[in-house]
Amino acid sequence: MRKKIVAGNWKMNKTLSEANTLLAELDSYVKTNNPKCEVVVGIPYLYLANAKEKYENLNIYAEDVSEHQSGAYTGEISAEMLKSIQVDGAIIGHSERRQYHKETDEQIGAKVKIALENGLTPIFCNGELLEERKSGKHFEVVKKQTEVALFQLSPEEIKKVVIAYEPVWAIGTGETATPEQAQEIHAYIRSLIAEKYGKEIADEISILYGGSVKPANAKEIFSKPDVDGGLIGGASLNIKDFGALIQTYSDL
Ligand code: PGA
């Protein structure tokens, strides 16, 4: 049985005191409600160490990681550093990193690999742009992103990866993929993995949907058979919405 996961992605939001308030609320939410899904929060680097020390009911993730081991890379944070403060994982290849920081599929693949080598769970993001969807290229785009970044991994390694399909046109726009669109492409991604690594491994990998998931639309999306949870941006920034999303999935 693959894991059900509700993951937040705070992006570049929250001051220290705001971060502590929300983490404390979320930690106590999970402790009290004991949801039947894993709860992950991707938070800015500088809050990670404190969060790992204080909030034991949460899975604490970074929002990125360097593709390099160590050395002269000013401003970067390595997988080994994240491991040394017991961070659980990292979001890798988010479309905002691809778009604003020009990350390539090859770099993203290197990040996934180094995260795994350091015992971090990568949430590998893929997804097409609006023009690519409109011209019917979404399958092709997602195939290339997935193959280049992930298909260098051994079967043992790929089993530990979580995938987040996030159509770029649905991120922060209020527009979501329909549950049918999400199911179609999630099943396709799973079929790519099955072709390369076999059905048993493909069936073990959690594939999350991301892009304007809100309490009002989550149930329909989370109900689809190949959707194993969500990667949530805007609605992870307050306990009311994020708690409602966790509850919705836990109740399914
Ligand atoms: P959103 O962001 O939920 O605000 O659309 C999702 C994401 O970028 O991970």
Side-chain angles (χ1 to χ4, degrees):
M1 270 285 285
R2 52 188 179 255
K3 269 190 205 154
K4 295 167 98 178
I5 301 168
V6 175
N9 174 12
W10 286 8
K11 310 189 180 184
M12 197 175 72
N13 289 296
K14 308 232 172 259
T15 61
L16 176 61
S17 66
E18 290 165 351
N20 280 336
T21 303
L22 181 52
L23 287 167
E25 288 170 340
L26 196 55
D27 189 67
S28 100
Y29 181 93
V30 173
K31 193 168 176 203
T32 312
N33 295 285
N34 196 21
K36 293 196 281 298
C37 56
E38 199 172 289
V39 176
V40 166
V41 265
I43 63 176
Y45 283 134
L46 76 167
Y47 308 142
L48 289 169
N50 184 32
K52 270 312 295 180
E53 271 174 27
K54 277 205 198 141
Y55 308 109
E56 58 186 28
N57 298 293
L58 304 174
N59 294 285
I60 306 286
Y61 279 43
E63 298 177 11
D64 185 26
V65 65
S66 173
E67 79 226 59
H68 304 291
Q69 196 96 33
S70 65
Y73 300 101
T74 303
E76 291 284 275
I77 301 285
S78 73
E80 196 181 23
M81 292 174 188
L82 296 177
K83 182 185 176 190
S84 74
I85 57 166
Q86 283 93 47
V87 164
D88 301 291
I91 299 168
I92 295 177
H94 190 277
S95 65
E96 287 148 20
R97 303 285 324 164
R98 293 176 185 265
Q99 199 176 346
Y100 307 135
H101 301 272
K102 306 284 174 271
E103 287 188 11
T104 64
D105 293 325
E106 287 77 10
Q107 277 174 303
I108 292 164
K111 290 180 178 205
V112 168
K113 180 92 180 160
I114 206 162
L116 288 167
E117 283 166 2
N118 284 280
L120 304 166
T121 300
I123 298 183
F124 160 75
C125 305
N126 58 15
E128 79 286 355
L129 304 169
L130 183 59
E131 311 83 85
E132 293 165 340
R133 166 68 62 166
K134 280 189 175 156
S135 58
K137 291 208 179 100
H138 44 294
F139 290 109
E140 197 184 306
V141 169
V142 166
K143 180 171 195 260
K144 177 172 172 280
Q145 291 171 334
T146 307
E147 285 181 352
V148 176
L150 299 188
F151 286 10
Q152 40 139 355
L153 300 173
S154 70
E156 279 315 304
E157 286 173 324
I158 198 157
K159 271 195 219 168
K160 298 183 186 135
V161 174
V162 173
I163 297 175
Y165 167 67
E166 300 203 304
V168 181
W169 46 272
I171 296 178
T173 57
E175 201 169 321
T176 16
T178 64
E180 292 68 33
Q181 284 172 324
Q183 169 57 28
E184 183 185 39
I185 203 137
H186 281 224
Y188 174 68
I189 294 168
R190 204 179 300 288
S191 77
L192 292 174
I193 297 167
E195 262 171 49
K196 167 88 179 162
Y197 293 96
K199 187 170 181 311
E200 208 175 304
I201 288 183
D203 283 342
E204 271 185 54
I205 295 181
S206 301
I207 307 179
L208 317 183
Y209 170 79
S212 298
V213 178
K214 305 277 182 261
N217 60 24
K219 190 172 174 198
E220 271 193 292
I221 297 175
F222 289 166
S223 306
K224 291 292 175 192
D226 284 290
V227 176
D228 307 308
L231 181 57
I232 321 291
S236 73
L237 294 174
N238 68 81
I239 190 64
K240 189 166 158 277
D241 286 347
F242 200 52
L245 288 171
I246 296 166
Q247 202 57 50
T248 300
Y249 200 26
S250 183
D251 288 347
L252 278 179

